[in-house]
Amino acid sequence: MRTTIMPSVRILIFFTILTGILYPVGITFVALGIFPYQANGSMVERNGRVVGSELIGQGFTGDRYFHPRPSAIAYDPVPSGGSNWGPTDARMADSVAARRDAFIRKNGVPGDVVVPKEMLFASGSGVDPHISPDAALLQMERVAAARGFDTQKSDALKELVMRCIEPPQYALFGEPRINVLSLNLALDALEKGYPPPF
Amino acid sequence: MITVSELIQLMLYALALFLLTPPLGKLMAMVFRGERTFLTPALGWLERVAYRVSGIDPDKAMDWKGYLWSLLSFNAFGFAVVFLLQFFQSSLPFNPQQLPDVSWHLAFNTAVSFMTNTNWQSYAGEVTLSYLVQMLGLTVQNFVSAATGIAVLLALVRGIAGRSTGSIGNFWADLTRSIVYLLLPLSIILSLFLVSEGVVQTFSGSRTVTTLEGVQQTIPLGPAASQVAIKQLGTNGGGFFNMNSAYPHENPTPFSNFLQMLSILLIPSALVYMFGAMVNARRHAWVVWGVMFFLFAAGVTLSLWSEYTVNAVTGVGGGMEGKETRFGVANSILWSVATTAASNGSVNSMHDSFSPLSGTVAMMNIMLGEIIFGGVGAGLYGMMIFIILTVFIAGLMVGRTPEYLGKKIESFEVRMAAIAMLLPSAGILLFTALASVADAGLAGLNNQGPHGFSEILYAFASTAGNNGSAFAGLTANTPFYNTLLGINMLIGRFGVIVPMLAIAGSLAQKKITPLSSGTFPTDTFLFGVLLTGTMLIVGALTFIPAQVLGPVAEHFLMLNGKVF
């Protein structure tokens, strides 16, 4: 027994130092050196003030902004979470119907319009930063009306939404999507007549 | 319907896995034979330091009992460290959120979970564990539990290849080489790739921001990338954040998703090639790889079909509940099949909200013992159970003593294989039965009807299989579940490791029997079919009744629009 206990303790200490301290600390230094923006959480600033992370969705509710997906945690990621409703959960059936109605009503779109799937279901993380291009286009008129945009500004807004579409990464991975926070930042800039912040 | 772009991504994944398997497998075969590789000049000194500071002679041959005792005592100390770090975390440094001490049952569950390579999450990383626990406890166990799995496989390989020696190698050398030459270099590369895509890596505490609409939002941060890299490569799966790889700071882009998914199966797949090279049975290894790939592809197909089937309850096919926009349906399903085929258990979407039969695919992957590629080391040594059974059954059919790669398979090996199969299965079914009738078990349910049963069944399958994924609606952070699930993880890990090392030791003492006309060849298509059949029949007989009570019943209720 003695012959296995001492090596166990000593090699565990060795690997604790190597993989528990040197490895994460080393990676942190290198990461902060080469990719400081990403390593610190991809924080977005406006006028020198951090207004959020590009990767963490925000729970926009006002008419002046594009809205994100439904969230089981109201976009408060401490801790992150999804609904974990199963496919035959009554709450899911009710929520999907209610969200479809609300989306159609709020955005004043025709009742037979196909509401994009992601707007009917809550994400896994609860802070999904993206929606599909269709989901943004369907919200455009509501946003323009709330901000009192004239025809010219509304056309500029449409152009802005199209510019915000992220194609599949490296033309291969994922689906086309729009980052809601980036779009809303660009929207604020557009209203003030500033160039978009990207 | 599945899109063309999704199909291309699925094929790209299969292609990348196939192409990376031979080179990595070849490298591992050289490393574990103790040969010189291109890594030796850069990392050889680290291996030597490890032996020197621990007072270990890496060339000392061990019999199976010596190997087992080393493994068990090393794991016992690992458990103790993770337990104590959590139990006293408020008095220890690197706790910027000033999180309190963890309860005894959660600390027990988490310590077992990481020691056994399960990484079941009863904890929620960002609100339960300090950075110190995440680093010194969890990250370290991510490395060493994966290396332990590889070590057991290597012992088995030597048992098969050895010539009447009785020695199955040196546990410390296998452990050290796995970490120094394989897990650590790959983790360094992957974690830097992940940071470049947006995974956070910092020691600052969480950050509170005021959003555009003036709401306060607290964003947790931490040294995530370094832990996420080894969590995927070591088929560990425990998340830095509660929502694991669905959380954008843990898995920010479709490309980071692809890299993480590839990392789940990379080493398990390459280990099959390594096995073929080390026992000098390359064709046999490709047959085994082919069986694994076939079952994997079949699982993906069934799961995708089910997920895209219109749910009469919501009227939507390919529903997005619990899925992220940047991944979409196909990448979520592919991940769920990969993470359960391997004993990884990380998730990029919530399995609880999948269509019922997608849940079945995930559960059956786990219940078969995670041998479709499987956990690092654990996958292939688990597959060995079925290979031994297949050879045994084939031997019975032709009436000869079965042989496997020149070693006679006798009653001891078959008995041990049966034990390794029965213990985890018994854990799954008996504990599920218990939790389904106990008040403390039913109290944790998030869903009613057959789906509630599935939540319990999934939890015990996941822990016995050392997987760690969940139908996460189940409230598992209670004394009842933390204790039972913890015990189940121990059964699932050591109930397989001990018999497999015994088999390794027994095989190592046997002579190599020369091939004869009566030898049943194991490198043919026919063997692949027999192996697949054995797996499906044994898996089906054991678990189909439980599946019918849960997800299969729910599937038909769903098609009729029944809700609970």
Side-chain angles (χ1 to χ4, degrees), chain A residues 8 23 69 83 91 128 169, chain B residues 73 226 255 321 323 325 446:
Chain A
S8 297
Y23 164 66
R69 297 179 60 182
S83 72
R91 292 167 293 180
D128 189 344
Q169 201 175 3
Chain B
S73 90
S226 52
F255 186 59
E321 188 72 28
K323 300 192 186 74
T325 310
N446 177 44

Side-chain angles (χ1 to χ4, degrees), chain B residues 318-346:
Chain B
M320 289 290 285
E321 188 72 28
K323 300 192 186 74
E324 302 286 299
T325 310
R326 61 193 180 285
F327 307 141
V329 174
N331 279 315
S332 301
I333 290 296
L334 179 60
W335 183 301
S336 79
V337 179
T339 197
T340 51
S343 76
N344 188 288
S346 63

Side-chain angles (χ1 to χ4, degrees), chain B residues 183-511:
Chain B
L183 298 171
L184 192 58
L186 283 174
S187 297
I188 291 172
I189 297 168
L190 180 62
S191 52
L192 291 177
F193 262 110
L194 291 178
V195 176
S196 78
E197 290 291 309
V199 179
V200 291
Q201 181 74 25
T202 166
F203 288 116
S204 335
S206 56
R207 181 146 194 187
T208 301
V209 300
T210 307
T211 67
L212 296 193
E213 287 192 331
V215 179
Q216 300 279 310
Q217 185 186 44
T218 299
I219 300 174
L221 298 169
S226 52
Q227 194 183 317
V228 174
I230 183 62
K231 136 194 153 183
Q232 302 298 21
L233 288 163
T235 57
N236 293 284
F240 193 90
F241 299 104
N242 190 35
M243 281 300 111
N244 211 292
S245 283
Y247 190 68
H249 271 155
E250 188 150 337
N251 189 10
T253 64
F255 186 59
S256 73
N257 186 66
F258 185 81
L259 288 178
Q260 290 189 30
M261 256 187 327
L262 193 58
S263 308
I264 292 176
L265 292 186
L266 178 65
I267 296 178
S269 170
L271 281 171
V272 180
Y273 186 95
M274 177 206 82
F275 167 71
M278 288 180 83
V279 298
N280 203 17
R282 287 187 173 74
R283 270 180 57 113
H284 167 63
W286 277 116
V287 169
V288 173
W289 195 92
V291 168
M292 291 173 166
F293 186 81
F294 166 75
L295 289 169
F296 179 72
V300 172
T301 309
L302 174 60
S303 191
L304 269 174
W305 168 79
S306 168
E307 195 63 20
Y308 272 111
T309 302
V310 173
N311 179 342
V313 173
T314 58
V316 178
M320 289 290 285
E321 188 72 28
K323 300 192 186 74
E324 302 286 299
T325 310
R326 61 193 180 285
F327 307 141
V329 174
N331 279 315
S332 301
I333 290 296
L334 179 60
W335 183 301
S336 79
V337 179
T339 197
T340 51
S343 76
N344 188 288
S346 63
V347 293
N348 76 346
S349 53
M350 297 303 108
H351 293 187
D352 214 347
S353 301
F354 280 177
S355 65
L357 295 186
S358 302
T360 291
V361 171
M363 269 193 265
M364 284 309 285
N365 276 344
I366 297 172
M367 288 166 165
L368 281 176
E370 286 140 344
I371 47 178
I372 303 169
F373 299 110
V376 287
L380 193 52
Y381 72 66
M383 184 59 133
M384 223 37 91
I385 299 172
F386 283 99
I387 291 176
I388 288 174
L389 284 183
T390 306
V391 172
F392 174 65
I393 293 168
L396 287 182
M397 286 194 278
V398 295
R400 285 182 58 105
T401 305
E403 290 160 23
Y404 177 54
L405 301 176
K407 291 286 173 91
K408 280 200 160 51
I409 302 295
E410 292 165 302
S411 80
F412 181 78
E413 286 78 26
V414 177
R415 257 186 294 150
M416 287 297 135
I419 290 174
M421 172 120 53
L422 287 174
L423 279 179
S425 305
I428 295 172
L429 295 175
L430 296 179
F431 281 135
T432 299
L434 175 62
S436 302
V437 293
D439 290 340
L442 296 171
L445 292 181
N446 177 44
N447 286 273
Q448 304 301 316
H451 198 80
F453 176 74
S454 301
E455 283 185 338
I456 297 177
L457 182 64
Y458 198 116
F460 286 102
S462 175
T463 44
N466 297 142
N467 185 277
S469 66
F471 274 10
L474 186 75
T475 305
N477 185 15
T478 60
F480 176 82
Y481 275 115
N482 277 337
T483 313
L484 282 193
L485 293 169
I487 294 169
N488 205 28
M489 288 187 251
L490 291 171
I491 296 173
R493 180 74 163 176
F494 297 104
V496 180
I497 283 183
V498 176
M500 290 326 277
L501 282 180
I503 290 177
S506 162
L507 290 179
Q509 287 172 341
K510 296 187 183 191
K511 290 198 297 286

Side-chain angles (χ1 to χ4, degrees), chain B residues 104-119:
Chain B
W104 67 266
H105 52 88
L106 182 56
F108 164 75
N109 183 284
T110 308
V112 170
S113 174
F114 277 76
M115 173 193 67
T116 56
N117 197 253
T118 309
N119 305 40

